[in-house]
Amino acid sequence: MEDKKHVWDKVSQWEEELDYLKSILNKTDLVETTKWGTSIYTHNNKNVLGIGGFKSYFGVWFINGVFLKDEANVLVNAQEGITKALRQWRFNSKNEINEKLLLSYIKEAIQNESKGLRHKPEKKEIEICDFFQNELNNDIKFNKAFETFSLSKQKEFLEYIATAKQEKTKISRMEKIKQMILQNIGLNDKYR
């Protein structure tokens, strides 16, 4: 018997429907893997789509669905303004699934993946508060040491200073991290 523990079915009410989706997906070249606690289907080791069940629907989510033509107008963005690339095709019953149409969407998603169409997250500029910037400007050695850290580690330091509410807290925090930065120690290295 097939192992069903990795199918994302939040309310355990879509077993038959998810099995049907899997039977359709088995007709493609996609490879089933388990990621994020559910079935994710890949092409050349790249994520293409996933399936799962939720309280009021079950469905297929296309990882880079933003690039699909969606001529049937069936795809939805789960969180407008937040979700950038992922698109869902939701169903309320097995009878709503049009296998031929679904396979055409899957084929297009595979082609898009083969072409390398992927949504690239926008890189956010890091904001440096005046207090921190003054320290960088006044100490060249400190500035050079800070620049050697990865962007994510730089953000940790900047946030640590920026979240201090009182000036005396900023000063004590700066004294602490200045030594860490000069010794090439990240703020949260001990937790990694």
Side-chain angles (χ1 to χ4, degrees), residues 3-15:
D3 180 17
K4 296 182 187 302
K5 70 180 180 181
H6 294 297
V7 177
W8 191 349
D9 188 358
K10 291 286 193 188
V11 288
S12 301
Q13 69 185 26
W14 305 111
E15 184 176 347

PDB file of all heavy atoms in Angstrom, residues 3-15:
ATOM      1  N   ASP A   3       2.409   4.901   0.728  1.00  0.00           N
ATOM      2  CA  ASP A   3       2.564   5.727   1.921  1.00  0.00           C
ATOM      3  C   ASP A   3       1.927   7.090   1.695  1.00  0.00           C
ATOM      4  O   ASP A   3       2.306   7.825   0.806  1.00  0.00           O
ATOM      5  CB  ASP A   3       4.061   5.879   2.218  1.00  0.00           C
ATOM      6  CG  ASP A   3       4.337   6.724   3.442  1.00  0.00           C
ATOM      7  OD1 ASP A   3       3.404   6.930   4.234  1.00  0.00           O
ATOM      8  OD2 ASP A   3       5.487   7.145   3.598  1.00  0.00           O
ATOM      9  N   LYS A   4       0.931   7.446   2.502  1.00  0.00           N
ATOM     10  CA  LYS A   4       0.201   8.691   2.314  1.00  0.00           C
ATOM     11  C   LYS A   4       0.551   9.738   3.362  1.00  0.00           C
ATOM     12  O   LYS A   4      -0.045  10.790   3.390  1.00  0.00           O
ATOM     13  CB  LYS A   4      -1.304   8.419   2.352  1.00  0.00           C
ATOM     14  CG  LYS A   4      -1.763   7.538   1.213  1.00  0.00           C
ATOM     15  CD  LYS A   4      -3.249   7.364   1.283  1.00  0.00           C
ATOM     16  CE  LYS A   4      -3.745   6.370   0.293  1.00  0.00           C
ATOM     17  NZ  LYS A   4      -3.450   6.637  -1.081  1.00  0.00           N
ATOM     18  N   LYS A   5       1.511   9.464   4.200  1.00  0.00           N
ATOM     19  CA  LYS A   5       1.797  10.390   5.290  1.00  0.00           C
ATOM     20  C   LYS A   5       2.357  11.723   4.811  1.00  0.00           C
ATOM     21  O   LYS A   5       2.310  12.696   5.528  1.00  0.00           O
ATOM     22  CB  LYS A   5       2.743   9.759   6.306  1.00  0.00           C
ATOM     23  CG  LYS A   5       4.155   9.565   5.812  1.00  0.00           C
ATOM     24  CD  LYS A   5       5.004   8.938   6.868  1.00  0.00           C
ATOM     25  CE  LYS A   5       6.406   8.758   6.327  1.00  0.00           C
ATOM     26  NZ  LYS A   5       7.295   8.150   7.241  1.00  0.00           N
ATOM     27  N   HIS A   6       2.882  11.783   3.583  1.00  0.00           N
ATOM     28  CA  HIS A   6       3.500  13.011   3.111  1.00  0.00           C
ATOM     29  C   HIS A   6       2.581  13.866   2.247  1.00  0.00           C
ATOM     30  O   HIS A   6       3.021  14.844   1.683  1.00  0.00           O
ATOM     31  CB  HIS A   6       4.795  12.715   2.359  1.00  0.00           C
ATOM     32  CG  HIS A   6       5.853  12.143   3.248  1.00  0.00           C
ATOM     33  ND1 HIS A   6       6.380  12.842   4.308  1.00  0.00           N
ATOM     34  CD2 HIS A   6       6.448  10.948   3.247  1.00  0.00           C
ATOM     35  CE1 HIS A   6       7.271  12.090   4.910  1.00  0.00           C
ATOM     36  NE2 HIS A   6       7.336  10.948   4.295  1.00  0.00           N
ATOM     37  N   VAL A   7       1.321  13.492   2.128  1.00  0.00           N
ATOM     38  CA  VAL A   7       0.391  14.326   1.373  1.00  0.00           C
ATOM     39  C   VAL A   7      -0.203  15.341   2.325  1.00  0.00           C
ATOM     40  O   VAL A   7      -0.756  15.004   3.362  1.00  0.00           O
ATOM     41  CB  VAL A   7      -0.716  13.483   0.702  1.00  0.00           C
ATOM     42  CG1 VAL A   7      -1.697  14.388  -0.015  1.00  0.00           C
ATOM     43  CG2 VAL A   7      -0.107  12.496  -0.264  1.00  0.00           C
ATOM     44  N   TRP A   8      -0.074  16.584   1.971  1.00  0.00           N
ATOM     45  CA  TRP A   8      -0.554  17.678   2.801  1.00  0.00           C
ATOM     46  C   TRP A   8      -2.066  17.719   2.709  1.00  0.00           C
ATOM     47  O   TRP A   8      -2.646  18.145   1.723  1.00  0.00           O
ATOM     48  CB  TRP A   8       0.046  18.966   2.300  1.00  0.00           C
ATOM     49  CG  TRP A   8      -0.147  20.143   3.194  1.00  0.00           C
ATOM     50  CD1 TRP A   8      -0.958  20.246   4.275  1.00  0.00           C
ATOM     51  CD2 TRP A   8       0.495  21.393   3.073  1.00  0.00           C
ATOM     52  NE1 TRP A   8      -0.855  21.475   4.832  1.00  0.00           N
ATOM     53  CE2 TRP A   8       0.034  22.214   4.110  1.00  0.00           C
ATOM     54  CE3 TRP A   8       1.421  21.913   2.188  1.00  0.00           C
ATOM     55  CZ2 TRP A   8       0.458  23.515   4.279  1.00  0.00           C
ATOM     56  CZ3 TRP A   8       1.840  23.210   2.365  1.00  0.00           C
ATOM     57  CH2 TRP A   8       1.360  23.992   3.401  1.00  0.00           C
ATOM     58  N   ASP A   9      -2.723  17.236   3.740  1.00  0.00           N
ATOM     59  CA  ASP A   9      -4.181  17.238   3.809  1.00  0.00           C
ATOM     60  C   ASP A   9      -4.527  17.713   5.214  1.00  0.00           C
ATOM     61  O   ASP A   9      -4.665  16.941   6.143  1.00  0.00           O
ATOM     62  CB  ASP A   9      -4.735  15.842   3.537  1.00  0.00           C
ATOM     63  CG  ASP A   9      -6.244  15.816   3.401  1.00  0.00           C
ATOM     64  OD1 ASP A   9      -6.890  16.876   3.555  1.00  0.00           O
ATOM     65  OD2 ASP A   9      -6.792  14.730   3.155  1.00  0.00           O
ATOM     66  N   LYS A  10      -4.613  19.028   5.355  1.00  0.00           N
ATOM     67  CA  LYS A  10      -4.778  19.666   6.661  1.00  0.00           C
ATOM     68  C   LYS A  10      -5.968  19.140   7.459  1.00  0.00           C
ATOM     69  O   LYS A  10      -5.963  19.173   8.669  1.00  0.00           O
ATOM     70  CB  LYS A  10      -4.927  21.180   6.491  1.00  0.00           C
ATOM     71  CG  LYS A  10      -3.664  21.850   6.031  1.00  0.00           C
ATOM     72  CD  LYS A  10      -2.687  21.908   7.159  1.00  0.00           C
ATOM     73  CE  LYS A  10      -1.553  22.835   6.846  1.00  0.00           C
ATOM     74  NZ  LYS A  10      -0.509  22.803   7.803  1.00  0.00           N
ATOM     75  N   VAL A  11      -7.009  18.694   6.776  1.00  0.00           N
ATOM     76  CA  VAL A  11      -8.218  18.268   7.487  1.00  0.00           C
ATOM     77  C   VAL A  11      -8.579  16.812   7.215  1.00  0.00           C
ATOM     78  O   VAL A  11      -9.630  16.350   7.623  1.00  0.00           O
ATOM     79  CB  VAL A  11      -9.415  19.185   7.133  1.00  0.00           C
ATOM     80  CG1 VAL A  11      -9.247  20.546   7.771  1.00  0.00           C
ATOM     81  CG2 VAL A  11      -9.586  19.328   5.646  1.00  0.00           C
ATOM     82  N   SER A  12      -7.710  16.085   6.543  1.00  0.00           N
ATOM     83  CA  SER A  12      -7.902  14.656   6.244  1.00  0.00           C
ATOM     84  C   SER A  12      -9.254  14.358   5.599  1.00  0.00           C
ATOM     85  O   SER A  12      -9.910  13.381   5.925  1.00  0.00           O
ATOM     86  CB  SER A  12      -7.736  13.817   7.522  1.00  0.00           C
ATOM     87  OG  SER A  12      -6.467  14.007   8.073  1.00  0.00           O
ATOM     88  N   GLN A  13      -9.654  15.213   4.671  1.00  0.00           N
ATOM     89  CA  GLN A  13     -10.934  14.975   4.001  1.00  0.00           C
ATOM     90  C   GLN A  13     -10.803  14.844   2.489  1.00  0.00           C
ATOM     91  O   GLN A  13     -11.797  14.663   1.804  1.00  0.00           O
ATOM     92  CB  GLN A  13     -11.920  16.091   4.333  1.00  0.00           C
ATOM     93  CG  GLN A  13     -11.572  17.441   3.733  1.00  0.00           C
ATOM     94  CD  GLN A  13     -12.512  18.546   4.181  1.00  0.00           C
ATOM     95  OE1 GLN A  13     -13.104  18.468   5.249  1.00  0.00           O
ATOM     96  NE2 GLN A  13     -12.657  19.566   3.367  1.00  0.00           N
ATOM     97  N   TRP A  14      -9.579  14.921   1.965  1.00  0.00           N
ATOM     98  CA  TRP A  14      -9.390  14.944   0.517  1.00  0.00           C
ATOM     99  C   TRP A  14      -8.603  13.740  -0.002  1.00  0.00           C
ATOM    100  O   TRP A  14      -8.021  13.817  -1.082  1.00  0.00           O
ATOM    101  CB  TRP A  14      -8.680  16.231   0.103  1.00  0.00           C
ATOM    102  CG  TRP A  14      -9.343  17.490   0.543  1.00  0.00           C
ATOM    103  CD1 TRP A  14      -8.888  18.374   1.474  1.00  0.00           C
ATOM    104  CD2 TRP A  14     -10.583  18.024   0.074  1.00  0.00           C
ATOM    105  NE1 TRP A  14      -9.755  19.420   1.609  1.00  0.00           N
ATOM    106  CE2 TRP A  14     -10.815  19.237   0.757  1.00  0.00           C
ATOM    107  CE3 TRP A  14     -11.530  17.595  -0.847  1.00  0.00           C
ATOM    108  CZ2 TRP A  14     -11.946  20.015   0.551  1.00  0.00           C
ATOM    109  CZ3 TRP A  14     -12.653  18.383  -1.063  1.00  0.00           C
ATOM    110  CH2 TRP A  14     -12.850  19.571  -0.376  1.00  0.00           C
ATOM    111  N   GLU A  15      -8.566  12.648   0.708  1.00  0.00           N
ATOM    112  CA  GLU A  15      -7.722  11.514   0.333  1.00  0.00           C
ATOM    113  C   GLU A  15      -7.984  11.030  -1.090  1.00  0.00           C
ATOM    114  O   GLU A  15      -7.055  10.895  -1.896  1.00  0.00           O
ATOM    115  CB  GLU A  15      -7.912  10.358   1.321  1.00  0.00           C
ATOM    116  CG  GLU A  15      -7.000   9.186   1.043  1.00  0.00           C
ATOM    117  CD  GLU A  15      -7.119   8.081   2.089  1.00  0.00           C
ATOM    118  OE1 GLU A  15      -7.716   8.309   3.156  1.00  0.00           O
ATOM    119  OE2 GLU A  15      -6.598   7.003   1.816  1.00  0.00           O
TER     120      GLU A  15
END
